[in-house]
Amino acid sequence: PDTPGSWFADRRVMAIDGTCLDIADTEANEAHFGRPPSSRGDRSAFPQARMVALAECGTHAIVDAVVGPCTSSEVEFARELISRL
């Protein structure tokens, strides 16, 4: 049987969402992904990567994703995902 919520009128139901992820505290990660500012005016404890993903709504399976620096725009990443459809 199909997973409830995965299909609507013979179309697979998908969603785009973004998040930031803490990543390993290495010089290479900090140089590429960056660190967001903290509320205290310092840098955050870990470098962060921004991820925007295309996922199936029923199973939550990620079908495609764009990952980049935390200073990148979710909107730009979403446009890149849409261009791949």
Side-chain angles (χ1 to χ4, degrees), residues 1-81:
D2 289 330
T3 301
S6 294
W7 297 89
F8 178 77
D10 297 328
R11 303 280 185 183
R12 195 156 102 171
V13 180
M14 307 294 286
I16 293 177
D17 198 8
T19 190
C20 284
L21 306 166
D22 288 342
I23 56 177
D25 190 7
T26 67
E27 289 181 17
N29 281 344
E30 183 175 2
H32 182 75
F33 293 103
R35 291 178 192 253
S38 75
S39 60
R40 297 181 310 270
D42 299 329
R43 299 176 311 152
S44 66
F46 293 94
Q48 287 189 346
R50 181 173 308 280
M51 178 182 74
V52 175
L54 175 68
E56 185 180 62
C57 291
T59 63
H60 301 181
I62 293 176
V63 176
D64 197 359
V66 178
V67 179
C70 63
T71 55
S72 300
S73 164
E74 280 191 13
V75 173
E76 289 177 26
F77 283 180
R79 285 185 181 130
E80 183 176 337
L81 279 176

